[in-house]
């Protein structure tokens, strides 16, 4: 479910920066569409950080996704 929201945020016509929060508490900011990609089956997300360092994120460990800059849309991963 969270992967679907990432895809929606990512492919929005008027892209807005968003943040991915992991179960560990780590946060990854996606400032532009070029900084993230979702695998075809949605099993992981790759977010590029500073110096183009890739972070491979398991979709099973993504806790939430939210828009940045005060936008109110927020999603949480449902309990298993």
């Amino acid at each position: 479910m969270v992967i679907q929201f990432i895809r929606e945020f990512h492919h929005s016509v008027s892209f807005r920066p968003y943040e991915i929060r992991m179960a560990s508490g780590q946060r990854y900011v996606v400032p532009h569409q070029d900084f993230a990609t979702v695998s075809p089956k949605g099993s992981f997300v790759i977010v590029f950080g500073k110096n183009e360092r890739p972070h491979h994120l398991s979709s099973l460990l993504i806790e939430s996704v939210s828009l940045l800059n005060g936008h109110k849309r927020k999603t949480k991963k449902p309990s298993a």
Side-chain angles (χ1 to χ4, degrees):
M1 184 71 173
V2 172
I3 291 298
Q4 182 60 32
F5 285 110
I6 292 173
R7 284 187 171 133
E8 286 178 21
F9 289 160
H10 196 72
H11 296 294
S12 174
V13 174
S14 59
F15 180 85
R16 295 183 189 128
Y18 62 93
E19 177 183 75
I20 299 171
R21 190 173 76 188
M22 304 300 291
S24 66
Q26 289 181 297
R27 296 170 187 236
Y28 298 91
V29 173
V30 181
H32 187 272
Q33 292 167 324
D34 292 342
F35 286 81
T37 188
V38 178
S39 67
K41 292 185 180 180
S43 57
F44 64 92
V45 176
I46 299 173
V47 177
F48 294 93
K50 294 182 180 181
N51 299 322
E52 295 188 4
R53 179 177 176 226
H55 300 278
H56 295 76
L57 313 177
S58 169
S59 62
L60 297 174
L61 299 176
I62 295 174
E63 186 175 283
S64 67
V65 179
S66 60
L67 292 173
L68 294 178
N69 299 329
H71 300 287
K72 294 185 178 182
R73 186 171 181 187
K74 189 171 186 177
T75 63
K76 288 197 173 187
K77 187 173 181 178
S79 301

